[in-house]
Coordinates of all heavy atoms in Angstrom, one line a residue:
L6 N 33.2 14.1 6.8 CA 33.9 13.7 5.6 C 32.9 12.9 4.7 O 32.8 13.2 3.5 CB 35.1 12.8 5.9 CG 35.9 12.3 4.8 CD1 36.5 13.4 4.0 CD2 37.0 11.3 5.3
T7 N 32.2 12.0 5.3 CA 31.3 11.2 4.5 C 30.2 12.0 3.8 O 30.0 11.9 2.6 CB 30.6 10.1 5.4 OG1 31.6 9.5 6.1 CG2 29.9 9.1 4.5
E8 N 29.6 12.9 4.6 CA 28.6 13.8 4.0 C 29.2 14.6 2.8 O 28.5 14.8 1.8 CB 28.1 14.8 5.0 CG 27.1 14.1 6.0 CD 26.8 15.1 7.1 OE1 27.7 15.4 7.9 OE2 25.6 15.5 7.3
G9 N 30.4 15.1 3.0 CA 31.0 15.9 2.0 C 31.2 15.1 0.7 O 30.9 15.5 -0.4
R10 N 31.6 13.8 0.9 CA 31.7 13.0 -0.3 C 30.4 12.6 -1.0 O 30.3 12.6 -2.2 CB 32.5 11.7 0.0 CG 34.0 12.1 0.3 CD 34.6 11.0 1.1 NE 35.2 9.9 0.2 CZ 35.5 8.8 0.7 NH1 35.4 8.5 2.0 NH2 36.0 7.8 -0.1
L11 N 29.4 12.4 -0.1 CA 28.1 12.1 -0.7 C 27.5 13.3 -1.4 O 26.7 13.1 -2.3 CB 27.1 11.7 0.5 CG 27.4 10.3 1.0 CD1 26.5 10.0 2.2 CD2 27.1 9.2 0.0
A12 N 27.9 14.5 -1.1 CA 27.4 15.7 -1.7 C 28.0 15.9 -3.1 O 27.6 16.8 -3.8 CB 27.5 16.9 -0.8
K13 N 29.0 15.1 -3.4 CA 29.7 15.3 -4.7 C 28.8 15.3 -5.9 O 27.9 14.4 -5.9 CB 30.7 14.2 -4.8 CG 32.1 14.7 -5.2 CD 33.1 13.5 -5.2 CE 34.1 13.8 -6.3 NZ 35.4 13.2 -6.1
W16 N 31.6 12.4 -9.9 CA 32.5 11.5 -9.3 C 33.6 11.1 -10.3 O 33.5 11.4 -11.5 CB 31.7 10.2 -9.0 CG 30.6 10.4 -8.0 CD1 29.3 10.9 -8.3 CD2 30.6 10.3 -6.6 NE1 28.6 11.0 -7.2 CE2 29.4 10.7 -6.1 CE3 31.6 9.9 -5.7 CZ2 29.1 10.6 -4.7 CZ3 31.3 9.9 -4.3 CH2 30.1 10.2 -3.9
D17 N 34.7 10.5 -9.8 CA 35.8 10.1 -10.7 C 35.3 9.0 -11.6 O 35.5 9.0 -12.8 CB 37.0 9.7 -9.9 CG 37.6 10.9 -9.1 OD1 37.3 12.1 -9.5 OD2 38.4 10.7 -8.2
N18 N 34.8 7.9 -11.0 CA 34.5 6.7 -11.7 C 33.6 5.8 -10.8 O 33.4 6.1 -9.7 CB 35.8 6.0 -12.2 CG 36.7 5.7 -11.0 OD1 36.3 5.5 -9.8 ND2 38.0 5.8 -11.2
P19 N 33.2 4.7 -11.4 CA 32.3 3.8 -10.6 C 32.9 3.3 -9.3 O 32.3 3.2 -8.3 CB 32.0 2.6 -11.5 CG 32.0 3.2 -12.9 CD 33.2 4.2 -12.8
A20 N 34.3 3.0 -9.3 CA 34.9 2.5 -8.1 C 34.8 3.5 -7.0 O 34.6 3.1 -5.8 CB 36.4 2.2 -8.4
E21 N 35.0 4.8 -7.3 CA 34.9 5.8 -6.2 C 33.5 5.9 -5.7 O 33.3 6.0 -4.5 CB 35.3 7.2 -6.8 CG 35.4 8.2 -5.7 CD 35.3 9.6 -6.2 OE1 34.7 9.9 -7.2 OE2 35.7 10.5 -5.4
I22 N 32.5 5.7 -6.6 CA 31.1 5.8 -6.1 C 30.8 4.6 -5.2 O 30.1 4.7 -4.1 CB 30.1 5.7 -7.3 CG1 30.3 7.0 -8.2 CG2 28.7 5.5 -6.9 CD1 29.7 6.9 -9.6
I23 N 31.3 3.4 -5.5 CA 31.1 2.2 -4.7 C 31.8 2.4 -3.3 O 31.1 2.2 -2.3 CB 31.7 1.0 -5.4 CG1 30.9 0.6 -6.6 CG2 31.9 -0.2 -4.4 CD1 31.5 -0.4 -7.5
R24 N 33.0 2.9 -3.3 CA 33.7 3.1 -2.0 C 33.0 4.1 -1.1 O 32.7 3.9 0.1 CB 35.1 3.7 -2.3 CG 36.2 2.7 -2.5 CD 37.6 3.2 -2.3 NE 37.8 4.4 -3.1 CZ 38.2 4.4 -4.4 NH1 38.4 3.2 -5.0 NH2 38.4 5.5 -5.1
A25 N 32.5 5.2 -1.7 CA 31.9 6.3 -0.9 C 30.5 6.0 -0.6 O 30.0 6.4 0.5 CB 32.1 7.6 -1.7
M26 N 29.7 5.5 -1.5 CA 28.3 5.4 -1.3 C 27.8 4.0 -0.8 O 26.7 3.9 -0.2 CB 27.5 5.7 -2.6 CG 27.5 7.2 -2.9 SD 26.8 7.7 -4.5 CE 25.3 6.6 -4.6
Q27 N 28.5 2.9 -1.1 CA 28.1 1.6 -0.8 C 26.6 1.5 -1.2 O 25.8 1.1 -0.3 CB 28.2 1.3 0.7 CG 29.7 1.4 1.2 CD 30.5 0.2 0.8 OE1 30.3 -0.9 1.2 NE2 31.5 0.4 -0.1
P28 N 26.3 1.7 -2.4 CA 24.8 1.9 -2.7 C 24.0 0.6 -2.6 O 24.4 -0.4 -3.3 CB 24.9 2.4 -4.2 CG 26.2 2.0 -4.7 CD 27.1 2.0 -3.6
E29 N 23.0 0.7 -1.9 CA 22.1 -0.5 -1.7 C 21.1 -0.6 -2.9 O 20.6 -1.7 -3.2 CB 21.2 -0.4 -0.5 CG 21.8 -1.0 0.8 CD 22.2 -2.5 0.6 OE1 21.3 -3.2 0.1 OE2 23.3 -2.9 0.8
V32 N 22.6 2.0 -9.3 CA 23.1 3.4 -9.6 C 23.4 3.4 -11.1 O 24.2 2.6 -11.6 CB 24.3 3.8 -8.8 CG1 24.7 5.2 -9.2 CG2 24.0 3.7 -7.3
I277 N 25.6 0.2 -11.8 CA 26.2 -0.4 -10.6 C 25.1 -1.2 -10.0 O 24.1 -0.6 -9.6 CB 26.8 0.6 -9.6 CG1 27.9 1.4 -10.3 CG2 27.3 -0.1 -8.4 CD1 28.4 2.5 -9.4
R279 N 24.2 -4.5 -7.0 CA 24.9 -5.1 -5.8 C 24.4 -6.5 -5.7 O 23.3 -6.9 -6.0 CB 24.5 -4.3 -4.5 CG 25.3 -4.8 -3.3 CD 25.4 -3.8 -2.2 NE 26.6 -4.0 -1.5 CZ 26.9 -3.4 -0.3 NH1 26.1 -2.5 0.2 NH2 28.1 -3.6 0.3
R315 N 34.9 -5.5 -5.0 CA 34.6 -5.7 -3.5 C 34.0 -4.4 -3.0 O 34.2 -3.3 -3.6 CB 35.9 -6.0 -2.8 CG 36.6 -7.3 -3.4 CD 37.9 -7.6 -2.6 NE 38.6 -8.7 -3.2 CZ 39.5 -8.5 -4.2 NH1 39.8 -7.3 -4.6 NH2 40.1 -9.5 -4.7
P316 N 33.4 -4.5 -1.8 CA 32.9 -3.3 -1.2 C 33.9 -2.1 -1.0 O 33.6 -1.0 -1.0 CB 32.3 -3.7 0.1 CG 32.0 -5.2 -0.1 CD 33.0 -5.7 -1.0
D317 N 35.2 -2.5 -0.9 CA 36.2 -1.5 -0.7 C 36.6 -0.8 -2.0 O 37.5 0.0 -2.1 CB 37.4 -2.0 0.0 CG 38.2 -3.0 -0.8 OD1 37.8 -3.3 -2.0 OD2 39.2 -3.6 -0.3
G318 N 35.9 -1.2 -3.1 CA 36.2 -0.6 -4.4 C 37.3 -1.2 -5.2 O 37.7 -0.7 -6.3
T319 N 37.9 -2.3 -4.7 CA 38.9 -3.0 -5.5 C 38.3 -4.0 -6.4 O 37.3 -4.6 -6.0 CB 40.0 -3.7 -4.6 OG1 39.3 -4.6 -3.7 CG2 40.7 -2.6 -3.7
F356 N 29.8 -5.6 -5.7 CA 29.1 -4.8 -6.7 C 29.5 -5.2 -8.1 O 30.6 -5.4 -8.5 CB 29.5 -3.3 -6.6 CG 29.0 -2.7 -5.3 CD1 29.9 -2.7 -4.1 CD2 27.8 -2.1 -5.1 CE1 29.4 -2.2 -2.9 CE2 27.3 -1.6 -3.9 CZ 28.2 -1.7 -2.8
R380 N 19.2 5.3 -8.7 CA 19.8 6.6 -8.6 C 20.6 6.9 -9.8 O 21.2 6.1 -10.4 CB 20.7 6.5 -7.3 CG 21.4 7.8 -7.0 CD 21.9 7.7 -5.5 NE 22.5 8.9 -5.2 CZ 22.7 9.3 -3.9 NH1 22.3 8.5 -2.9 NH2 23.3 10.4 -3.7

Side-chain angles (χ1 to χ4, degrees):
L6 180 62
T7 313
E8 282 170 299
R10 289 161 86 195
L11 286 172
K13 228 173 146 156
W16 300 85
D17 292 343
N18 54 31
E21 190 203 20
I22 295 164
I23 288 167
R24 273 196 307 275
M26 286 176 40
Q27 300 285 297
E29 267 307 307
V32 180
I277 303 176
R279 190 161 208 184
R315 299 181 188 88
D317 67 4
T319 57
F356 294 90
R380 182 161 181 163

